[in-house]
Amino acid sequence: TQKSSIEFKPKNKIEKYFFALRDAFRALEFKKISKQYQLNHFDVYHFHGGVDFFRDCRWIKQLAHLNKFIICNYHGPDLRVRGYFKAVEQVSMLNITNEFDLMALHKNLYYVPMP
């Protein structure tokens, strides 16, 4: 069975600039919170939905550069509607889901049943 992964791309220029502006504002607060809670000092990082705090995936790229173990847990709308982020896909070491049908939408996804 061929996988039909879809990569996230902004739908138009307005969405592209909205996310860039949001990332700029978010970066100010994130820098403070990251330092306060030492967010770069953990061994394993689990990203629900395979998404970073930033649409340009700057934090997950930084974590990968620090050789951190990165796990992504995908839910239905994550892949069915939005798609995956290429930068996240490149550094994630384990991708899991509890929705069996998502296996057809992601080339490297493991099924973990919910109890």
Side-chain angles (χ1 to χ4, degrees), residues 14-113:
I14 293 171
E15 187 174 82
K16 178 182 177 181
Y17 293 122
F18 167 79
F19 286 130
L21 184 62
R22 187 186 72 170
D23 283 355
F25 283 115
R26 195 171 268 186
L28 300 171
E29 187 67 20
F30 187 80
K31 184 176 180 179
K32 183 173 59 173
I33 291 170
S34 180
K35 185 175 180 178
Q36 180 181 356
Y37 294 104
Q38 299 182 340
L39 294 183
N40 290 346
H41 291 79
F42 295 95
D43 296 324
V44 176
Y45 291 81
H46 185 171
F47 288 86
H48 280 273
V51 67
D52 192 340
F53 287 110
F54 304 96
R55 286 292 166 136
D56 63 8
C57 303
R58 66 182 76 171
W59 189 46
I60 204 165
K61 289 175 186 176
Q62 179 184 10
L63 294 173
H65 182 73
L66 296 171
N67 295 317
K68 301 298 184 171
F69 194 87
I70 298 167
I71 300 169
C72 293
N73 184 19
Y74 289 97
H75 308 284
D78 305 331
L79 293 177
R80 288 186 201 113
V81 178
R82 185 203 64 220
Y84 70 89
F85 289 88
K86 186 175 184 178
V88 173
E89 183 70 23
Q90 292 171 338
V91 299
S92 177
M93 297 164 182
L94 177 63
N95 299 302
I96 59 175
T97 186
N98 64 330
E99 298 187 42
F100 189 72
D101 66 299
L102 294 184
M103 305 277 294
L105 299 176
H106 193 287
K107 64 181 178 179
N108 188 23
L109 192 61
Y110 295 92
Y111 179 73
V112 178

